[in-house]
Amino acid sequence: MKKKMMTVLMTAAMVLSVTACGSQGEKEEAASLAQSDGGAVQADAGTEQADGGQYTIGISQFAEHGSLDNCRQGFLAGLAEAGIEEGKNLTIVFDNAQADMGTASTISDAYVSQKVDLICAIATPTAMSAYNSCMNTDIPVIYTAVSDPVQAGLAEAGGKSVGNITGTSDALPVTEQLKMIREMLPEAEKIGILYTTSEANSVSTIEAYKESAAEYGFEIVETGINTIADVPMAAADMADKVDCITNLTDNTVVSALQTVLDEANKKGIPVFGSEIEQVRSGCVASMGLDYVALGKQTGAMAAKVLKGEAKAADMPFEVITQASLYVNTAAAEKINLEIPEDMANRAVEIFDEIVVE
């Protein structure tokens, strides 16, 4: 038996054991306990594939923020386009790990106990957890919003899957982002990046920034954090040292985006996003990806697996590559930054207000 990358709380393991073996009343009691301990919502698996094209999917999302929400929306749309639709022939069990690695493991273990037909893992930590949980089962895992599947141990260097798992990657367009920042800030020298040290996707993207920064005349100033509680102090310290901040798709940092923006605004420096929702929420601009489209691409892959048209283990992960320019003029006005007219003309979408949900 392969060793898991991550461990699960003993309490959650005991709960899952009871859920798998006990009576219906015991299952409900165990579900309540698991939710209070780990945050995973226990639910009956619902319809099964043996019922004639009926499916149950567990969707595990690592954190609550716009880009991951868009992935989930797109995933369901992609399934629907393939004829697999919630309320008709699809039952969805959805849980959010609230950016906690232990909770992510508890959720995926719960899905295995429920014998779902497939797990959709949204973001790198949940993909790793789901792969660990399903390693000795026949449940396929389809992930999305995983920036570097190879670094995360979910794929081989050539893109081939390491097991019954595949999905889509949101590898950031680093060089396009650097070029955009240079055009907007001709005199800038230092770019700050906050990242979570335990998120493999962030670690690999930091390296990509370092490799390309000098070509555009930048120095990367990085600060690693462990939890969301570290963000306020780290953001305040970084705002004193850099000319601007650029965000990754780091789930923990993005969950505290407003804190980062507040500290940067105090110093009058711009924050650049990595996708459209960050710009909508107050970042000045981004060469970003369309996460609804990424989710649809993932849903199409999942549909093939569910219908028996392909096996996850035989499908290399897919990458969305087209980046678009998004601009928020209200965010720019807050720090007295003028958006060059030609950049504004090239933007796919311009926001004239900051929307915080």
Side-chain angles (χ1 to χ4, degrees):
M1 180 180 295
K2 298 181 181 178
K3 185 177 179 181
K4 288 190 175 185
M5 302 175 198
M6 300 165 55
T7 58
V8 183
L9 297 175
M10 184 175 295
T11 301
M14 293 173 63
V15 170
L16 294 175
S17 176
V18 173
T19 305
C21 303
S23 66
Q24 182 63 31
E26 290 171 328
K27 288 181 181 180
E28 293 174 357
E29 181 180 357
S32 176
L33 178 59
Q35 188 169 2
S36 63
D37 283 347
V41 176
Q42 303 285 324
D44 286 339
T47 56
E48 295 183 0
Q49 191 171 349
D51 293 338
Q54 299 292 315
Y55 308 97
T56 296
I57 295 178
I59 299 181
S60 178
Q61 184 171 315
F62 186 61
E64 186 175 352
H65 59 75
S67 58
L68 300 189
D69 293 339
N70 285 350
C71 279
R72 187 175 77 251
Q73 174 189 337
F75 177 73
L76 294 174
L79 286 170
E81 288 177 0
I84 301 175
E85 190 171 355
E86 189 175 10
K88 293 183 179 179
N89 58 352
L90 174 63
T91 298
I92 293 294
V93 184
F94 170 70
D95 292 286
N96 193 307
Q98 301 300 332
D100 184 88
M101 302 284 283
T103 302
S105 291
T106 302
I107 290 169
S108 54
D109 277 353
Y111 291 164
V112 170
S113 177
Q114 295 169 52
K115 295 182 173 60
V116 299
D117 297 310
L118 180 145
I119 293 177
C120 171
I122 304 177
T124 302
T126 49
M128 295 170 68
S129 295
Y131 175 55
N132 288 332
S133 297
C134 295
M135 195 174 289
N136 296 303
T137 76
D138 60 358
I139 299 174
V141 177
I142 308 294
Y143 56 77
T144 187
V146 173
S147 298
D148 192 337
V150 176
Q151 179 69 26
L154 304 175
E156 297 177 2
K160 182 180 178 181
S161 174
V162 296
N164 197 20
I165 182 170
T166 189
T168 57
S169 171
D170 61 339
L172 293 183
V174 171
T175 56
E176 290 92 335
Q177 182 87 344
L178 288 168
K179 183 178 180 181
M180 180 266 294
I181 295 173
R182 173 53 70 207
E183 185 176 359
M184 195 170 290
L185 302 176
E187 305 300 322
E189 297 178 356
K190 296 182 179 181
I191 299 176
I193 303 178
L194 293 173
Y195 73 103
T196 307
T197 56
S198 60
E199 290 199 28
N201 54 306
S202 297
V203 174
S204 63
T205 307
I206 284 281
E207 293 306 312
Y209 266 102
K210 288 180 179 178
E211 290 174 5
S212 300
E215 180 181 350
Y216 296 92
F218 290 120
E219 174 189 346
I220 300 299
V221 178
E222 60 184 287
T223 298
I225 62 167
N226 296 313
T227 69
I228 198 168
D230 300 330
V231 173
M233 184 177 295
D237 180 65
M238 176 166 284
D240 282 327
K241 300 176 179 178
V242 299
D243 300 302
C244 66
I245 293 173
T246 191
N247 278 332
L248 310 180
T249 50
D250 186 291
N251 298 287
T252 304
V253 175
V254 174
S255 295
L257 177 59
Q258 293 308 313
T259 300
V260 177
L261 289 169
D262 288 344
E263 295 299 336
N265 287 337
K266 289 176 187 177
K267 300 297 181 180
I269 65 171
V271 177
F272 295 96
S274 56
E275 44 81 34
I276 184 173
E277 295 300 332
Q278 293 178 29
V279 178
R280 191 195 310 273
S281 298
C283 289
V284 169
S286 171
M287 286 301 296
L289 304 176
D290 184 339
Y291 278 81
V292 173
L294 184 70
K296 282 186 178 181
Q297 188 173 346
T298 314
M301 296 178 74
K304 290 180 181 178
V305 173
L306 288 171
K307 292 179 176 181
E309 298 172 358
K311 294 182 178 179
D314 298 332
M315 302 170 69
F317 71 85
E318 299 178 5
V319 182
I320 189 168
T321 56
Q322 185 173 354
S324 300
L325 175 62
Y326 303 98
V327 172
N328 191 317
T329 55
E333 289 171 4
K334 255 191 166 184
I335 56 172
N336 297 316
L337 176 67
E338 184 175 349
I339 305 292
E341 184 176 354
D342 60 334
M343 290 189 72
N345 291 336
R346 297 200 311 270
V348 169
E349 190 163 359
I350 298 177
F351 301 99
D352 58 6
E353 62 178 344
I354 296 171
V355 180
V356 180
E357 297 181 353

